[in-house]
Amino acid sequence: MSLAHALLTSLLEKPSSGYDLARRFDKSIGFFWHATHQQIYRELARMEQAGWIASDVAPDGGKTRKRLYQVLPAGEAALRAWVREPTEPTDLRDELMVRLRADAAIGPLGLEGELRRRMQLHQTRLAAYRAIEARDFPPGRAATREKRIQHLILKTGIMYEASWANWCEEALGVLQQTA
């Protein structure tokens, strides 16, 4: 996946200025596809040059250079083509796993602090996801297909963070038993 596809998706949801897009990105797609604001602005320029999006001076731009971006038919066609391409699951690449293997090979290396830190990070993100779920997807509310899909994506994040938090807790138990 490229950043362009994530931006096309976000712009199809709502035409936006670069600034507003970057802020929305941080609160949604950015949870699973990270990009800095500079990367977003550079990609918007490339996409406009490729004819995938167009921009115009934002109505609320005043004397600023604020531009409003929207997806052109060529951009939607590119996104549709990309969506139909097969994808492979992402391989796990985590230094902590190698560090644990080193701990197993040469003895206790004091990884408990790092595991506690990681567990806290996952618990914090999990709490944020659950707050979003409570706010945006309350039980019993009828939801559109779009909302159900968005909730499904959020549930993936919830399961991911819960799984890692539980794994960190289990790993701490193993390290403490064998120390």
Side-chain angles (χ1 to χ4, degrees):
M1 178 169 129
S2 73
L3 176 57
H5 299 109
L7 294 174
L8 284 169
T9 299
S10 194
L11 286 171
L12 281 167
E13 292 172 343
K14 181 179 179 183
S16 303
S17 70
Y19 175 76
D20 291 336
L21 179 62
R23 287 183 56 220
R24 279 187 27 243
F25 200 87
D26 287 344
K27 296 176 184 175
S28 61
I29 291 176
F31 283 124
F32 52 90
W33 190 264
H34 177 74
T36 66
H37 289 209
Q38 291 99 345
Q39 289 171 316
I40 290 171
Y41 281 105
R42 281 194 305 268
E43 193 62 37
L44 287 171
R46 281 192 283 268
M47 292 164 59
E48 190 165 23
Q49 190 172 25
W52 288 7
I53 61 172
S55 69
D56 202 358
V57 175
D60 62 344
K63 294 183 181 185
T64 68
R65 298 182 318 174
K66 186 176 182 180
R67 306 202 52 85
L68 186 65
Y69 294 91
Q70 62 185 17
V71 178
L72 295 174
E76 185 173 337
L79 183 61
R80 286 178 181 276
W82 171 77
V83 165
R84 288 188 297 269
E85 294 174 3
T87 62
E88 296 299 322
T90 304
D91 291 332
L92 176 63
R93 183 178 174 178
D94 191 324
E95 286 184 27
L96 181 58
M97 300 305 114
V98 178
R99 292 172 190 215
L100 280 169
R101 288 291 295 257
D103 184 282
I106 60 177
L109 297 174
L111 293 172
E112 293 84 359
E114 176 61 9
L115 282 166
R116 281 187 202 88
R117 185 185 75 80
R118 289 275 194 108
M119 186 168 54
Q120 181 60 50
L121 291 171
H122 290 294
Q123 288 170 336
T124 299
R125 178 69 59 92
L126 177 60
Y129 285 171
R130 286 187 171 146
I132 292 168
E133 183 178 41
R135 181 193 70 211
D136 295 349
F137 307 103
R141 184 196 304 168
T144 63
R145 179 179 186 275
E146 178 183 6
K147 282 290 194 185
R148 290 193 320 265
I149 292 171
Q150 290 170 349
H151 191 196
L152 188 63
I153 295 165
L154 180 61
K155 285 179 180 180
T156 300
I158 289 169
M159 290 186 297
Y160 175 85
E161 297 301 339
S163 174
W164 271 104
N166 291 336
W167 179 89
C168 287
E169 188 174 5
E170 182 179 346
L172 273 169
V174 169
L175 291 182
Q176 290 166 350
Q177 286 174 359
T178 59

